[in-house]
Amino acid sequence: MKIRHVAPGKITWPEIRVTSRFDPETLAMLKASIKAEGLIAPIICIDVEGQLTGVDGKHRWDEAIALQLPLIDVAVTEGGMVDVLTRNLFMDHIRGKHPPSEMVKVVETLNKDFNLDMVEIAKRTGMSREYVENL
């Protein structure tokens, strides 16, 4: 991965994705931290044919947009939409609270739109095949 300094508006986010949930107090702390210190951890993106597509850090990105930060740090690697979705599924799964229904939508999209079977999804995410099948 390479770190780039980019305008937040240059990043797009897939409609189907897993997004962590914060309780109001934690979200307020995140916003206050970004306002005081800026983004400490980079947003993770994949360069999909020249378009930066967000994988992880949507809440931080939302706050960067709200604060009109001119540039933010972004950790970028190249890949395709399968990489975006499988990394998003994996990263948000291990980080905590999110609706399982979003995980189901990502798995369905990988299966139906990108022809990945449950074995391949499990391999790319590090989740067990049984867990992916149960989704």
Side-chain angles (χ1 to χ4, degrees):
M1 285 193 170
K2 294 181 180 178
I3 299 293
R4 294 187 198 169
H5 306 290
V6 301
K10 300 277 184 183
I11 300 169
T12 62
W13 295 87
E15 186 176 325
I16 302 290
R17 63 183 318 277
V18 179
T19 303
S20 295
R21 300 300 191 263
F22 293 105
D23 60 73
E25 183 178 298
T26 303
L27 186 57
M29 288 189 317
L30 175 70
K31 290 179 177 192
S33 168
I34 293 171
K35 187 173 184 178
E37 301 291 330
L39 292 181
I40 295 171
I43 306 298
I44 298 175
C45 292
I46 294 182
D47 185 330
V48 180
E49 299 177 6
Q51 174 60 56
L52 290 179
T53 305
V55 171
D56 182 67
K58 177 80 166 56
H59 290 96
R60 288 175 280 139
W61 178 84
D62 288 339
E63 194 58 20
I65 293 288
L67 293 172
Q68 299 180 347
L69 298 179
L71 295 174
I72 59 172
D73 288 342
V74 179
V76 181
T77 189
E78 292 187 14
M81 282 305 297
V82 167
D83 300 305
V84 170
L85 295 174
T86 54
R87 288 183 186 171
N88 168 252
L89 185 63
F90 167 74
M91 293 183 81
D92 274 273
H93 174 65
I94 62 171
R95 289 204 177 167
K97 300 175 185 177
H98 54 271
S101 60
E102 289 181 358
M103 294 181 72
V104 170
K105 287 179 184 177
V106 171
V107 169
E108 286 176 346
T109 298
L110 287 165
N111 181 251
K112 292 177 183 174
D113 296 349
F114 296 99
N115 300 315
L116 268 65
D117 62 19
M118 299 303 121
V119 172
E120 185 64 20
I121 294 170
K123 179 180 165 185
R124 286 175 174 257
T125 61
M127 296 177 191
S128 72
R129 177 182 176 178
E130 180 181 10
Y131 186 85
V132 172
E133 287 175 347
N134 285 337
L135 287 171

